[in-house]
Amino acid sequence: MKMGTSRHSNLLSKNHKMPEIRYKLLPKQTEAWEHFESEEITELGYGGAAGGGKTQLGSILALFIALNYPGSRGGIARKELKDLRLTTLKTFFEIASGRFGLRPSKDYNYN
């Protein structure tokens, strides 16, 4: 990933068959992404209250990793399955199909 010209606008550079995607991140999300890009950081945590962009940033990171490291696997979890289905997965799929243009069963599998 390369940073965009604006502090809050990041450029997600994905594999060659996918278009570049610009994504506007909140200031704290931008800070977390900068840590993600750091070669010194080996683990990254991102927490906070509702509405802080945790699901959005986590979805973008998960998709970025999956697209840049083919064959990688990941997991998304919530304390309650109901919350996972109603909020987290809804946001993830909206970002995957809307921003990244990915199609279920063709570009990714949901198990």
Side-chain angles (χ1 to χ4, degrees):
M1 174 177 156
K2 296 183 181 182
M3 299 302 288
T5 55
S6 165
R7 177 176 150 82
H8 305 293
S9 175
N10 292 3
L11 174 66
L12 304 184
S13 58
K14 303 181 297 175
N15 62 29
H16 299 291
K17 62 184 175 181
M18 300 298 241
E20 290 183 344
I21 295 175
R22 288 196 177 275
Y23 218 99
K24 187 169 184 162
L25 299 177
L26 300 171
K28 290 289 185 182
Q29 291 173 319
T30 300
E31 182 181 348
W33 193 279
E34 289 169 355
H35 288 298
F36 168 71
E37 288 183 316
S38 169
E39 293 182 15
E40 298 172 8
I41 302 295
T42 58
E43 296 180 14
L44 178 65
Y46 188 78
K54 297 177 298 295
T55 300
Q56 181 186 44
L57 180 64
S59 297
I60 294 167
L61 281 169
L63 291 162
F64 177 82
I65 291 167
L67 291 168
N68 283 281
Y69 301 96
S72 60
R73 295 174 182 240
I76 299 173
R78 288 280 306 246
K79 184 177 179 180
E80 299 289 332
L81 180 59
K82 176 182 165 187
D83 293 333
L84 177 72
R85 288 187 174 140
L86 293 176
T87 61
T88 308
L89 287 177
K90 180 177 183 250
T91 300
F92 177 83
F93 292 133
E94 286 171 356
I95 291 171
S97 63
R99 292 289 190 149
F100 285 76
L102 301 175
R103 296 162 294 176
S105 300
K106 179 162 178 47
D107 298 315
Y108 67 90
N109 293 316
Y110 167 60
N111 299 323

